[in-house]
Amino acid sequence: MTAVETTVERTVPAAAPRATTNVLALARHLITLTRPGHWIKNILAVPLALVDAPAWNGPTLLRTGWAVVAFTLASSLIYVVNDIADRRLDRAHPVKKHRPIAAGLVPVPLAWLLAAGLAGLLVATVLAGPNMSWWPLVVYLALSAAYSRRLKHLPLLDICVIAAGFVLRVLQGYAATGGEASGLLLTAVFTGCLVLILGKRRAEIAVAGVSHRPALAGYNVLLADHLLGLNASLAAATFLLYLHTEAPIDPLRPAVLMVVVPLGLLAAFRYLQSVLVLRLGGDPIRALLRDPMIVTSAVLIGTALAVAEVAARYPELLTWMDR
């Protein structure tokens, strides 16, 4: 065996691990494109309609879970398409330039193939799922497509479209549970989401300027601050009004309000502090989920609301506990 043959024989097997590594890295980048860290939005928003569900039973929970899966696929599809469309603008952003498509880690044709696969899975999920109305999902996809092509460049309208996407998630939850949608709760969701979106816009202006997102030319820090205060006030007022009037939490309503009011305001104060003082609003999901004060307040509020709703739906439990 010659020296050349020996060299070839030694180098060929070494290429296999490198190829495997490249495939695994590409797979990770493709998963990153679907934004798994943002799936929590669907997990929290869609089941919110369970608070007004006529009944908590197996079929209701199944339809709600199916709606979460469908919206997760839909939102991941939109993320991929947006990253394809925004790849040139993202390269001008100090953080977004590291996204897989903008960084050149995922070729555009492969990203389109991923989008097609997600679209196919979404159609299969809807067709194979329980019988329910899917109009909120259809409107979400249409609105997201319009946002990607044009609406994202229109100041003020851009943030309203994003917030409307969360309202549509909750409406899909209502379609799954068969409950009657609460206008107060939907208003609280819409304005609360605007607070998070405005916090992100404010951070983008302060950190990266307006070159990477044309709509930011219609904002400045002062406007963002005013809109943050306005929407935070509206979100708090409408949610408390919902708890006072429409939320099915009798007979523990007074006790729930004693828990929700101080803890809810504390969480709101903390988020505004994170945005305005600590400048952590660039990633709202991270700002919320990694802050111990906000997470603890949310868990306690959620526990109080869940206990009150169970007591309202099953009053015999309170009777049994009084014995």
Side-chain angles (χ1 to χ4, degrees):
M1 182 178 291
T2 66
V4 174
E5 290 173 337
T6 304
T7 303
V8 172
E9 186 175 359
R10 289 177 179 175
T11 57
V12 169
R18 180 177 298 178
T20 302
T21 301
N22 291 338
V23 170
L24 291 176
L26 183 59
R28 286 196 299 270
H29 296 320
L30 290 173
I31 293 173
T32 300
L33 276 179
T34 66
R35 311 274 181 86
H38 289 251
W39 293 350
I40 187 69
K41 299 175 182 178
N42 307 302
I43 296 172
L44 293 177
V46 176
L48 192 60
L50 285 171
V51 299
D52 293 319
W56 289 350
N57 51 37
T60 297
L61 296 177
L62 174 62
R63 289 194 298 270
T64 303
W66 211 275
V68 171
V69 172
F71 246 102
T72 299
L73 289 171
S75 59
S76 291
L77 169 61
I78 296 302
Y79 288 139
V80 174
V81 173
N82 279 340
D83 279 3
I84 295 173
D86 293 343
R87 61 188 183 278
R88 294 181 179 85
L89 292 174
D90 286 346
R91 292 180 185 127
H93 191 275
V95 176
K96 294 180 181 180
K97 67 180 181 182
H98 299 296
R99 288 178 175 177
I101 298 177
L105 300 174
V106 173
V108 172
L110 184 57
W112 278 119
L113 185 62
L114 174 61
L118 290 170
L121 283 175
L122 176 59
V123 171
T125 299
V126 170
L127 294 178
N131 184 27
M132 73 174 96
S133 174
W134 291 102
W135 73 262
L137 180 66
V138 174
V139 174
Y140 170 80
L141 290 171
L143 192 63
S144 297
Y147 175 85
S148 181
R149 289 188 59 84
R150 174 61 179 164
L151 299 182
K152 65 183 177 183
H153 301 309
L154 303 179
L156 300 181
L157 186 58
D158 63 327
I159 61 175
C160 291
V161 170
I162 298 174
F166 288 90
V167 174
L168 289 167
R169 286 171 168 88
V170 180
L171 286 172
Q172 187 62 67
Y174 277 110
T177 63
E180 183 178 352
S182 166
L184 288 173
L185 183 59
L186 294 178
T187 302
V189 169
F190 183 75
T191 52
C193 289
L194 282 175
V195 172
L196 301 180
I197 298 164
L198 284 163
K200 182 176 181 180
R201 290 289 188 271
R202 187 185 190 280
E204 289 176 334
I205 294 170
V207 173
V210 302
S211 61
H212 72 287
R213 191 189 294 272
L216 290 178
Y219 298 89
N220 58 29
V221 173
L222 181 61
L223 175 62
D225 289 347
H226 282 300
L227 294 179
L228 271 170
L230 173 62
N231 284 283
S233 299
L234 288 173
T238 51
F239 184 63
L240 290 177
L241 189 57
Y242 169 75
L243 292 181
H244 271 286
T245 57
E246 297 182 2
I249 54 176
D250 285 327
L252 299 181
R253 193 182 305 272
V256 168
L257 290 171
M258 290 178 62
V259 173
V260 171
V261 171
L263 290 178
L265 289 176
L266 178 62
F269 294 163
R270 177 61 177 175
Y271 176 73
L272 292 176
Q273 181 190 48
S274 298
V275 172
L276 302 176
V277 180
L278 304 178
R279 299 185 179 182
L280 300 177
D283 188 343
I285 299 299
R286 180 175 298 181
L288 293 176
L289 298 183
R290 294 191 178 183
D291 189 289
M293 187 180 299
I294 294 177
V295 171
T296 301
S297 298
V299 169
L300 293 176
I301 290 172
T303 301
L305 291 172
V307 170
E309 179 129 4
V310 170
R313 290 178 180 272
Y314 307 102
E316 62 273 12
L317 292 177
L318 290 179
T319 303
W320 178 79
M321 292 175 63
D322 290 338
R323 291 178 183 176

